[in-house]
Amino acid sequence: MHDELTAQDIQQMRDELQQHKRVNLPKLIEAVKEARAFGDLSENFEYKAAKMELNKCKRRIRYLEGMIGSAVVISDTSEEDEVGLFDKVTVCIPSMGNKEMTYQIVTTMRADALQGRITRESPVGKALVGRREGDIVHIQVNASFGYDVEILDIEKLEDDGSIKINEF
């Protein structure tokens, strides 16, 4: 499976990867060496903590390398009047008493549902991308549940780099 990411996503991941390889990894290796010198490893909390941090850094490096290696670069452009990547979309949900919700459509590396950032691949994202203000859109959540929303507003935004890529 390939993740669809923007060139900006990939650049942010490359920058983070270089930070880990050139700065964090050497520091953590040195911290493990220093902690090991404290003596008995079975009771050496500093050693265990340093090893945990080193392993965490190595896992992140492998993750970033895998994501960069398997990414498919996508464009973040869309028509002026349709929902596209990085746009904020306000919808009305009639089945919830005309509740209004605002979502921003982002790539998988920047998703954060608690902040209203959803992916293009999510049920809501799939349903909204390419649609226009005033459209009634059906969102199929799973095989047995779906609901309709009306697109009230589309705020056209660009990838300015302010939304950082996710940790884990």
Side-chain angles (χ1 to χ4, degrees):
M1 184 179 126
H2 300 288
D3 281 291
E4 294 180 340
L5 303 172
T6 64
Q8 179 95 2
D9 288 333
I10 293 171
Q11 187 56 52
Q12 282 187 20
M13 286 189 290
R14 284 186 178 138
D15 293 345
E16 182 183 342
L17 184 60
Q18 290 308 310
Q19 172 71 22
H20 283 300
K21 284 183 169 182
R22 292 186 178 162
V23 178
N24 300 357
L25 192 59
K27 282 183 182 177
L28 291 169
I29 289 171
E30 188 59 35
V32 169
K33 285 181 188 176
E34 288 176 14
R36 185 181 188 97
F38 292 151
D40 183 10
L41 298 182
S42 66
E43 296 181 14
N44 187 337
F45 176 77
E46 290 82 5
Y47 175 75
K48 290 177 184 176
K51 283 290 284 187
M52 284 178 24
E53 284 300 311
L54 177 61
N55 289 335
K56 181 180 173 184
C57 180
K58 287 179 177 180
R59 280 192 310 272
R60 185 66 175 173
I61 288 171
R62 284 191 305 272
Y63 175 75
L64 291 169
E65 288 174 339
M67 289 297 289
I68 292 168
S70 67
V72 174
V73 179
I74 58 170
S75 170
D76 61 354
T77 58
S78 61
E79 296 294 323
E80 190 59 37
D81 64 340
E82 70 181 19
V83 177
L85 197 54
F86 298 108
D87 295 344
K88 282 192 177 179
V89 184
T90 302
V91 299
C92 174
I93 309 170
S95 62
M96 293 178 69
N98 291 326
K99 181 177 182 177
E100 290 186 14
M101 299 285 294
T102 301
Y103 303 105
Q104 184 173 18
I105 311 296
V106 296
T107 58
T108 56
M109 290 301 294
R110 300 183 193 196
D112 184 347
L114 296 176
Q115 298 296 320
R117 293 191 300 264
I118 59 171
T119 68
R120 295 170 12 121
E121 294 84 15
S122 69
V124 176
K126 280 181 189 176
L128 294 177
V129 169
R131 303 306 290 267
R132 291 176 166 74
E133 195 173 303
D135 286 356
I136 305 292
V137 180
H138 183 73
I139 299 170
Q140 192 65 40
V141 177
N142 59 37
S144 61
F145 180 74
Y147 60 97
D148 292 331
V149 300
E150 179 183 357
I151 298 176
L152 299 177
D153 185 55
I154 302 169
E155 181 183 349
K156 300 300 284 183
L157 298 174
E158 294 181 9
D159 183 8
D160 61 4
S162 63
I163 304 171
K164 299 299 179 200
I165 60 173
N166 295 333
E167 288 294 316
F168 279 120

